[in-house]
Amino acid sequence: MKLIEQRGLEDLKRNALVSVFLRVLEEAFKSRIQLALNYANLTKYQRIEIWKNFISRLQTLGEQNIDFHDLKDHVEQLAENEMNGRQIRNAITTARQYAQWKKTILTYDHLKDIIEISGRFDKYLDKLNDGYSQDRIAQDDGLRFAGRA
């Protein structure tokens, strides 16, 4: 039985099962969250610092097959993308795996491609939320104030 697909009126039993599953899942999350903290969006300066920190850490760890000069030369362009620290870390991790799979050295172009692809997925998720981003939903719910740029 498929649980992960758009629900319709064709299969009411499945819809009921999915509804119960989602409620139980929501309760499981709620029961494990002790304190929910909301953070303002990062400024460009903060994103620059996070990119620099991750790149420096990779260099300190002696990572191979990374063009550190290329990445450092493009930190400002990378920071133009409105991402949080987790998204930046995930982009680096995915780009490293992508470059390794292609048997090439990790460059800015790899990161740019990964960020673009994940951005398309984020836009898709926004469409599912009727065009509202997670930030906008948090703002509308009073959980987050209009961010800084």
Side-chain angles (χ1 to χ4, degrees):
M1 174 187 300
K2 292 181 186 178
L3 292 176
I4 312 293
E5 70 178 333
Q6 186 171 1
R7 291 186 274 176
L9 297 175
E10 304 82 34
D11 190 349
L12 296 178
K13 281 185 180 180
R14 184 178 58 82
N15 289 352
L17 179 62
V18 170
S19 179
V20 170
F21 170 74
L22 291 175
R23 268 182 277 171
V24 170
L25 186 62
E26 180 181 11
E27 288 303 315
F29 274 107
K30 284 181 180 178
S31 70
R32 285 162 180 80
I33 296 172
Q34 296 177 5
L35 177 65
L37 301 174
N38 289 289
Y39 297 95
N41 292 335
L42 297 172
T43 65
K44 182 177 178 186
Y45 173 77
Q46 290 170 322
R47 291 191 301 271
I48 288 171
E49 292 303 308
I50 291 171
W51 279 107
K52 285 180 181 178
N53 288 339
F54 276 120
I55 293 167
S56 293
R57 179 154 167 74
L58 290 173
Q59 200 164 17
T60 301
L61 292 172
E63 286 291 320
Q64 303 294 313
N65 300 320
I66 298 175
D67 186 340
F68 290 106
H69 294 294
D70 185 49
L71 296 184
K72 289 176 182 178
D73 287 345
H74 291 93
V75 166
E76 296 237 356
Q77 290 94 326
L78 290 166
E80 289 292 329
N81 299 287
E82 293 188 13
M83 303 168 74
N84 61 39
R86 177 188 47 79
Q87 291 167 320
I88 292 170
R89 184 197 66 221
N90 290 346
I92 291 171
T93 300
T94 304
R96 286 175 60 209
Q97 293 167 345
Y98 178 58
Q100 185 178 23
W101 176 74
K102 290 191 82 166
K103 297 180 178 22
T104 62
I105 293 174
L106 174 63
T107 65
Y108 165 71
D109 288 333
H110 292 106
L111 277 166
K112 186 173 73 168
D113 290 345
I114 295 302
I115 292 168
E116 181 183 321
I117 291 166
S118 65
R120 279 190 248 145
F121 182 68
D122 289 340
K123 287 179 184 172
Y124 166 75
L125 292 178
D126 288 348
K127 283 183 185 178
L128 293 179
N129 290 319
D130 294 328
Y132 286 89
S133 69
Q134 294 300 318
D135 288 333
R136 175 70 187 274
I137 292 168
Q139 286 174 17
D140 289 351
D141 289 345
L143 300 173
R144 182 175 295 161
F145 299 103
R148 308 169 308 215

